[in-house]
Amino acid sequence: MLDVLYQALLAPFIDFGFMRRALVGCLALSSSATPVGVFLMLRRMSLTGDAVAHAILPGAALGYMVAGLSLGAMTLGGLMAGWIVALLAGGLARITVLKEDANLAVFYLLSLALGVLLVSTQNRNIDLLHLLFGSVLALNNEALVLLAAIATLTLILLAVFLRPLILECLDPGFLKRHSRLGTLTHLVFLALVVLNLVAGFQALGTLMAVGIMILPATAARFWARQLDQLLVVAVGLAVLGSWSGLLLSWHWDLPTGPAIILMLGCLHLISLFLGRDGLLKRWIHPAKHLTS
Amino acid sequence: MVQEQPLVCLENLTLGYEKHPAVHHLSGHIYSQDLLAVVGPNGAGKSTLLKGLMQELRPLGGRIGWPQGKISVAYLPQRSGLNLDFPLTVEDFVSLGHWPRLGAFAAFSGKRRQQVRGAMEAVGMQGFEQASLESLSGGQLQRILFARLLLEDAQLLLLDEPFAAVDEQTTSDLLHLVQQLNREGKTLVAVLHDLHQVREYFPQTLLLARDLVDWGPTVSVLTQDNLEKARGMRGPFDPLADVCETQPGSAH
């Protein structure tokens, strides 16, 4: 029995280096992209993450066109394109009649179209699926170092900017009255979103990267009612989803990125029904009320 | 007798949005320890005036002077500006009142925590430390906003409709707190709608209808005649309005 469990749950990571690297990459992403996703959700900016994730595709494709299959060039291209869309969507919402959600929709459609166009017109054999859905099983040491560096930087910046971040979401007027950190905080946060999506793109691809950011955060909302609990539960769910997704992909020979995102989706559904604030609790005792 | 220097001087002040005046050619002084009610119909520029005092809005004309130098200003917002879904405890929310002294990065000491508890007790919210913001009623929320205001410990307190949609008991408690703060030396400016409250608790009143209707002792400002004038204020902004050439009026 123990042997079966060992073979099913641990052996792939112990026996194969590429599975270990994939797991370490996912752990790095879970510890940085997921907390950023919690703040994205709390700031009601979940779709911003989606739009920026799509914008990374043409940037990475441009990086590839300039320097070939280079981690540095594609990362830099993705960072620049993501940053431009994040700034433009927010900036245009302030100076035109269109709101931020409409601007984001415009930019993410254009980015995706441009990205697919750039990729498909290349003579060199670039794998579109690799860009769109990532290749977590092919993470090399260079990519792992990049993921770890981004995770470290993210955690440091989140810790330093925690109070302004909370206040910018809870009572932006208070932050504006007492500090000039409002704009800086917003820009730092957008930079963290872009950085973590680029990190996620290495492992999960442009389309799936936003999943490890948002899905654990939304699932955790059904379990936790305070920010600190929310962050811990979200990271825990991200780790669990990544680990089970990798196993699903290993045992059933499925594409890894989508398998991880699907497992995170399952955790979301489980939380939706079984969570402390989930649906089941409402259905079981609909007429009951508490004493105080 | 030499009159003391005012805390705030409004000199022919015009505040507004996209060149349309919401507060028009307002002149007057706010003195230290004033307890001033700002009254007027909806759209009269009351909240805009508070934004001007907080320097969130740059004047379209005139100026706001601070003869005693820059002073600390705290603001009690309307609830609509808050995102109450945010998962934070009441104690953590009130702690944000320490921001003006601690800034974004300094740690909270035990003494600061004690001050938070003290402020919560002063507004009758002891025992709610670990409650979540979204679980609070309108009146409870107003009390913790006051607790945060107490911690800010500013010289000039600006209250934007502090008793809107709040029950009688809470209103009464908070009005007594306002009076106590005033006795302790604070200057308070409150936007209010209930004229009975204004007559009973606020010795000074500024009656605004974009233009100044009257400013002075409440008894002489809240007359039938003045209130009629305020009701006859102008309608919505006119996109084809001419450029204003009005000369400065006299200060109150």
Side-chain angles (χ1 to χ4, degrees):
Chain A
M1 178 65 188
L2 274 178
D3 190 51
V4 172
L5 280 177
Y6 171 80
Q7 288 300 331
L9 303 178
L10 291 176
F13 302 110
I14 290 167
D15 298 340
F16 297 95
F18 68 90
M19 283 294 280
R20 265 200 307 280
R21 274 201 295 277
L23 186 62
V24 170
C26 287
L27 290 180
L29 271 179
S30 303
S31 61
S32 70
T34 304
V36 170
V38 168
F39 280 100
L40 263 182
M41 176 189 69
L42 291 174
R43 293 157 67 105
R44 298 170 190 177
M45 285 172 64
S46 303
L47 287 176
T48 304
D50 204 24
V52 174
H54 283 76
I56 288 169
L57 180 63
L62 273 176
Y64 174 79
M65 285 165 71
V66 172
L69 201 59
S70 142
L71 178 70
M74 287 167 73
T75 301
L76 197 66
L79 275 178
M80 283 169 60
W83 184 239
I84 287 169
V85 165
L87 284 185
L88 269 182
L92 283 179
R94 290 180 191 187
I95 58 171
T96 66
V97 290
L98 279 187
K99 297 290 177 215
E100 194 164 353
D101 62 329
N103 279 312
L104 284 170
V106 168
F107 281 111
Y108 102 74
L109 285 169
L110 287 181
S111 305
L112 187 60
L114 183 64
V116 172
L117 199 86
L118 284 175
V119 170
S120 60
T121 52
Q122 281 300 294
N123 290 328
R124 285 179 277 186
N125 183 24
I126 181 172
D127 187 359
L128 180 61
L129 280 178
H130 164 77
L131 276 177
L132 290 177
F133 301 110
S135 49
V136 67
L137 296 183
L139 282 179
N140 55 22
N141 289 347
E142 198 186 2
L144 273 188
V145 169
L146 179 73
L147 290 185
I150 288 176
T152 308
L153 182 68
T154 301
L155 289 178
I156 290 172
L157 285 176
L158 280 181
V160 171
F161 281 90
L162 182 66
R163 225 177 280 167
L165 266 174
I166 291 174
L167 207 46
E168 209 207 355
C169 176
L170 174 66
D171 188 355
F174 187 91
L175 182 63
K176 202 171 162 190
R177 285 192 295 283
H178 290 293
S179 162
R180 291 182 182 163
L181 283 172
T183 306
L184 178 67
T185 304
H186 189 66
L187 291 177
V188 165
F189 183 67
L190 281 183
L192 286 181
V193 172
V194 176
L195 257 181
N196 278 280
L197 284 170
V198 169
F201 143 74
Q202 310 291 338
L204 302 168
T206 57
L207 293 188
M208 297 283 135
V210 77
I212 201 162
M213 216 174 230
I214 296 298
L215 286 171
T218 54
R221 198 71 174 98
F222 293 108
W223 299 101
R225 289 175 188 164
Q226 298 303 331
L227 181 63
D228 46 357
Q229 300 162 2
L230 195 57
L231 288 167
V232 171
V233 173
V235 170
L237 288 172
V239 170
L240 186 62
S242 304
W243 176 63
S244 53
L246 283 169
L247 286 175
L248 181 76
S249 154
W250 170 260
H251 290 299
W252 280 275
D253 197 20
L254 297 170
T256 318
I260 291 174
I261 301 303
L262 274 178
M263 288 314 290
L264 290 171
C266 287
L267 290 174
H268 176 88
L269 287 177
I270 291 169
S271 308
L272 169 68
F273 287 102
L274 302 181
R276 192 163 72 161
D277 293 321
L279 291 176
L280 205 63
K281 202 170 156 188
R282 291 188 193 183
W283 290 341
I284 289 176
H285 300 299
K288 292 274 170 71
H289 61 269
L290 304 175
T291 54
S292 169
Chain B
M1 191 181 102
V2 181
Q3 198 175 12
E4 68 159 319
Q5 251 192 343
L7 207 59
V8 188
C9 269
L10 310 182
E11 294 171 18
N12 193 32
L13 178 69
T14 296
L15 296 162
Y17 308 94
E18 293 173 3
K19 298 200 175 176
H20 295 287
V23 172
H24 203 202
H25 295 298
L26 176 63
S27 292
H29 302 126
I30 300 171
Y31 290 92
S32 184
Q33 269 191 281
D34 267 1
L35 183 51
L36 173 69
V38 181
V39 177
N42 289 329
K46 305 181 295 294
S47 296
T48 304
L49 176 61
L50 296 195
K51 280 186 194 165
L53 288 170
M54 286 184 298
Q55 295 173 300
E56 271 187 17
L57 266 185
R58 197 189 288 262
L60 297 177
R63 64 185 285 273
I64 300 175
W66 306 88
Q68 298 187 22
K70 277 310 283 169
I71 55 165
S72 51
V73 181
Y75 172 70
L76 186 111
Q78 290 187 22
R79 264 166 283 166
S80 54
L82 301 173
N83 172 14
L84 296 172
D85 293 342
F86 198 91
L88 204 66
T89 62
V90 167
E91 187 177 17
D92 284 344
F93 178 81
V94 174
S95 303
L96 292 169
H98 280 313
W99 184 293
R101 263 163 299 285
L102 294 183
F105 310 118
F108 278 4
S109 63
K111 185 182 151 207
R112 300 277 183 204
R113 287 273 165 217
Q114 207 54 44
Q115 287 169 334
V116 172
R117 302 274 165 128
M120 291 188 63
E121 212 170 306
V123 297
M125 285 295 283
Q126 62 273 36
F128 281 81
E129 287 79 4
Q130 295 309 311
S132 63
L133 284 181
E134 59 187 347
S135 70
L136 299 182
S137 70
Q140 289 167 339
L141 183 66
Q142 209 60 12
R143 285 173 190 263
I144 66 151
L145 282 170
F146 263 91
R148 188 177 73 172
L149 194 79
L150 291 179
L151 278 187
E152 287 185 58
D153 195 26
Q155 286 167 274
L156 174 62
L157 308 181
L158 307 173
L159 318 178
D160 199 355
E161 301 194 21
F163 313 118
V166 171
D167 69 64
E168 212 172 305
Q169 182 61 50
T170 304
T171 303
S172 163
D173 290 350
L174 295 179
L175 275 167
H176 284 107
L177 187 64
V178 163
Q179 285 189 311
Q180 189 192 327
L181 286 168
N182 186 236
R183 280 196 298 274
E184 287 169 4
K186 305 287 186 200
T187 307
L188 290 105
V189 178
V191 169
L192 295 168
H193 284 290
D194 185 333
L195 298 184
H196 297 295
Q197 272 169 14
V198 176
R199 288 193 176 99
E200 195 170 342
Y201 293 94
F202 289 77
Q204 301 282 319
T205 296
L206 190 174
L207 181 56
L208 198 60
R210 285 195 204 159
D211 294 287
L212 176 65
V213 179
D214 203 357
W215 184 346
T218 298
V219 188
S220 61
V221 171
L222 293 186
T223 61
Q224 205 53 42
D225 193 31
N226 277 343
L227 292 170
E228 286 292 334
K229 268 192 222 167
R231 273 185 217 115
M233 67 175 282
R234 286 172 290 176
F237 293 143
D238 178 2
L240 302 174
D242 292 327
V243 172
C244 175
E245 304 285 0
T246 309
Q247 292 304 308
S250 57
H252 96 102

